[in-house]
Amino acid sequence: MFETERGVMSSYYNGTAVVIYSREATILAAFCAILFCVVGVIGNLVTVIALVRCPKLRVHATTAFVLSLCLSDLIFCLINLPLTAARYIYQAWVFGDALCKLFPVLFYGNVAVSVLNMVAITLNRYVLISCQLYYNCLYSKISIWIQLVFIWVFAFLLMMPPLLGIWGQLGLNPSTFSCTILRKDDKSPKKMIFLIGFILPCVVIIAAYSCIYYSVVKSARKLKSHRQTGDKKTPSRRERDDSRLTKLMALIFLCFLICFLPLMLCNVLDDIDIKYPTLHVLASIAAWASSVINPFIYAASNRQYRKAYSKLFTMVKSSVAFSDSRHNSNNIRLDRSKPNNSATQS
């Protein structure tokens, strides 16, 4: 399979401009993909378990979307990153046509899922802070499930035109040994997917956080005026927790934007005749990092999430200690029973 793939690539190169990645760049990319795969799987899996087992966080609508975001990152780390590592190690795609078509579906689909989950989180924060009267109606259990289903279905529907060959197609670009969205009849949906799946959601998120910021500033001014008139009213603990959670989610979006924007710009602006291959590799590594960093941001930036992690680790530690003590007690019983058995035999 590998030799056949290499032969096809060689014949293709004769009539096509060759994109040459330095071996240093491909080794760095492979190393980062493997590292992010291991760290991302552990981090996202621990986050999912910790949030599911934490009753205090489980009641928040935001938690449902955070879990959805973690699941998307977990799929990316489990499937996309190992395939990407092998691609850079071999400097070729060696897994066949079926996986070559699945790879970009999962990659672009997961990016869209991540962005749409952040849109849902941002709108949730906006409604909670600015439109509290509608919150219970908009974020009932049924409503949350409907939003989650819509996010996942819509994100992957964006990939249906190239997957079915209606608009562009999915396949191998031999000059970059990448499985991606290719042009068909000189047409490609990449810019449309970039617009609908990335730019528009980001605009909505930025607009919503701007409104949230305005509401928070307005509320702070009211609180300050109350204090000046002698009213000692202070924000409740729930209000403080909501404010911290909102800041955390804004930080998550900012990090996602920093990680993914370079790759999206490279794929749109430097797509046909790739002039800066090393820049594509570095942009890809930055994008992979977005699936890894969220658990660290949760742990570093929010007390409630730290408590959830702490409870999980305490539970695991106590389970291991109980298992060890039980094993030791069983060994002691066996040791004590041996003389009795020999005495009985004599």
Side-chain angles (χ1 to χ4, degrees):
M1 177 98 184
F2 178 72
E3 293 297 327
T4 304
E5 194 82 38
R6 295 286 291 185
V8 171
M9 288 174 66
S10 297
S11 63
Y12 190 88
Y13 284 168
N14 292 332
T16 306
V18 178
V19 176
I20 300 175
Y21 295 110
S22 67
R23 192 55 182 157
E24 291 81 5
T26 56
I27 290 172
L28 175 64
F31 172 78
C32 290
I34 294 169
L35 177 65
F36 292 165
C37 173
V38 174
V39 176
V41 168
I42 294 171
N44 286 295
L45 193 59
V46 167
T47 301
V48 169
I49 297 171
L51 295 185
V52 168
R53 294 187 62 86
C54 182
K56 190 173 181 180
L57 284 172
R58 207 165 53 229
V59 297
H60 290 293
T62 306
T63 304
F65 300 113
V66 170
L67 285 170
S68 177
L69 182 61
C70 287
L71 182 60
S72 172
D73 289 340
L74 188 60
I75 292 171
F76 182 82
C77 292
L78 278 172
I79 300 175
N80 285 78
L81 285 182
L83 295 176
T84 299
R87 168 195 155 207
Y88 279 107
I89 289 170
Y90 291 114
Q91 292 186 300
W93 182 263
V94 297
F95 300 105
D97 291 337
L99 270 179
C100 191
K101 290 184 178 180
L102 178 64
F103 183 87
V105 170
L106 289 176
F107 180 82
Y108 289 101
N110 271 316
V111 173
V113 167
S114 297
V115 178
L116 292 175
N117 272 308
M118 290 179 198
V119 170
I121 290 169
T122 308
L123 294 178
N124 171 264
R125 299 287 90 198
Y126 173 73
V127 173
L128 180 66
I129 292 172
S130 303
C131 311
Q132 291 184 359
L133 293 175
Y134 306 101
Y135 188 83
N136 291 332
C137 176
L138 291 173
Y139 291 98
S140 62
K141 286 185 178 180
I142 295 176
S143 174
I144 292 170
W145 275 108
I146 291 172
Q147 291 178 59
L148 289 172
V149 170
F150 172 80
I151 285 169
W152 283 83
V153 171
F154 179 77
F156 286 97
L157 277 178
L158 287 174
M159 294 302 297
M160 286 300 105
L163 180 62
L164 298 175
I166 299 170
W167 187 6
Q169 59 185 342
L170 303 180
L172 179 68
N173 180 356
S175 64
T176 59
F177 49 89
S178 62
C179 292
T180 184
I181 301 171
L182 304 175
R183 300 180 76 83
K184 183 180 180 182
D185 300 327
D186 204 31
K187 295 179 181 179
S188 171
K190 260 190 179 181
K191 291 183 180 179
M192 182 276 294
I193 293 173
F194 179 63
L195 177 65
I196 297 178
F198 190 82
I199 293 294
L200 289 180
C202 287
V203 169
V204 171
I205 292 171
I206 292 169
Y209 273 123
S210 300
C211 294
I212 290 171
Y213 178 76
Y214 173 76
S215 297
V216 169
V217 169
K218 187 177 179 181
S219 177
R221 285 174 180 171
K222 283 185 179 179
L223 185 62
K224 187 177 180 180
S225 65
H226 281 303
R227 286 175 178 172
Q228 288 175 349
T229 56
D231 190 349
K232 300 296 183 181
K233 182 182 177 182
T234 58
S236 66
R237 182 172 180 177
R238 181 176 177 179
E239 288 174 335
R240 290 196 300 271
D241 287 341
D242 285 336
S243 177
R244 291 192 193 101
L245 192 56
T246 301
K247 291 176 182 177
L248 170 63
M249 295 308 148
L251 179 60
I252 293 290
F253 167 67
L254 181 62
C255 291
F256 175 86
L257 197 61
I258 292 170
C259 288
F260 259 103
L261 191 57
L263 182 62
M264 289 298 173
L265 291 175
C266 284
N267 283 340
V268 172
L269 301 178
D270 191 30
D271 180 38
I272 300 174
D273 298 319
I274 296 178
K275 299 176 182 177
Y276 308 102
T278 303
L279 191 61
H280 278 257
V281 174
L282 295 176
S284 295
I285 293 172
W288 306 337
S290 71
S291 62
V292 177
I293 60 176
N294 286 351
F296 296 99
I297 298 174
Y298 298 144
S301 305
N302 190 274
R303 178 173 51 83
Q304 289 181 316
Y305 281 75
R306 282 197 298 274
K307 281 186 177 180
Y309 287 126
S310 179
K311 284 182 180 179
L312 177 63
F313 292 138
T314 302
M315 182 195 70
V316 172
K317 187 177 179 181
S318 60
S319 297
V320 171
F322 175 76
S323 177
D324 289 342
S325 63
R326 189 173 179 180
H327 179 70
N328 292 333
S329 64
N330 286 338
N331 288 339
I332 292 171
R333 287 176 184 175
L334 287 172
D335 291 340
R336 287 177 177 175
S337 64
K338 284 180 181 178
N340 294 334
N341 289 338
S342 59
T344 303
Q345 288 175 0
S346 62

